[in-house]
Amino acid sequence: MKKKISRILTIVLATVLLCMPLAAHAEEPEVQPGPPALIVVARDINICTVYDKDGNIIRMMPCSTGREGHRTPLGTYSIYAHVDNGGYHAMVDGTYGKWCMRWKSGGYMFHSVCYAYNGAPEPIAQEVADIGTSVSRGCVRLQVTDAEWLYNNTSNGCAVLITEVGN
């Protein structure tokens, strides 16, 4: 297991560091990965990477993890509930999240940036601007389109690894 985690971290770090040069290789055939088997969140760099069972990267997404005093807990978990059928879910601070999936008891979820409800739900502009920084209460926040994609393409039981690249 440690070898696989080490391999995954190496892939995540290499992908982040080589992100710009990858665009130059657009003529290479595109890998057709299978369904998601592992979600890795590097909380120190706020990147969420989804892998198939063969270790191919399916999708990389900027995210927001927990701020000081509310750090997203490190460890290995699994998705155990898709919440509210993709609808709006009330959060503890009076905002709403969308495309919520629970991955640890105690209220931890993957979900969209938070929404305010002022006659109609709309993403909070500051939350959108904060993607890529550690500002949440421990959940993993994603851009709305990324949260929707994750919700629709990941099933209960999918493994989740919360880690730090720098360690």
Side-chain angles (χ1 to χ4, degrees):
M1 179 70 168
K2 285 184 181 181
K3 215 176 219 187
K4 184 161 182 116
I5 291 172
S6 175
R7 181 173 172 252
I8 290 167
L9 291 176
T10 301
I11 291 169
V12 169
L13 183 58
T15 304
V16 169
L17 294 175
L18 298 174
C19 189
M20 297 304 275
L22 286 177
H25 300 294
E27 68 278 357
E28 294 179 13
E30 190 174 317
V31 174
Q32 297 298 320
L38 174 65
I39 302 166
V40 177
V41 176
R43 77 175 190 183
D44 55 338
I45 60 172
N46 289 292
I47 296 289
C48 178
T49 307
V50 183
Y51 297 88
D52 70 10
K53 66 178 178 57
D54 296 320
N56 297 310
I57 294 174
I58 299 172
R59 191 173 181 121
M60 286 186 76
M61 306 167 270
C63 64
S64 289
T65 57
R67 64 184 180 262
E68 278 303 315
H70 296 279
R71 300 293 288 164
T72 303
L74 298 171
T76 304
Y77 309 96
S78 63
I79 300 294
Y80 72 87
H82 285 63
V83 181
D84 294 335
N85 295 321
Y88 296 94
H89 181 75
M91 308 306 253
V92 297
D93 62 359
T95 62
Y96 297 87
K98 193 165 180 171
W99 310 110
C100 304
M101 297 186 315
R102 294 195 184 280
W103 54 268
K104 183 182 185 307
S105 61
Y108 293 100
M109 298 186 287
F110 287 99
H111 60 79
S112 71
V113 294
C114 294
Y115 282 71
Y117 190 83
N118 298 320
E122 60 183 68
I124 298 169
Q126 188 60 54
E127 296 255 343
V128 174
D130 284 343
I131 285 292
T133 62
S134 299
V135 295
S136 81
R137 294 177 57 95
C139 289
V140 178
R141 294 181 190 163
L142 300 161
Q143 295 175 19
V144 175
T145 55
D146 289 334
E148 179 180 13
W149 181 89
L150 195 64
Y151 185 95
N152 288 325
N153 289 283
T154 307
S155 58
N156 290 346
C158 182
V160 174
L161 173 63
I162 310 294
T163 188
E164 290 191 336
V165 176
N167 288 340

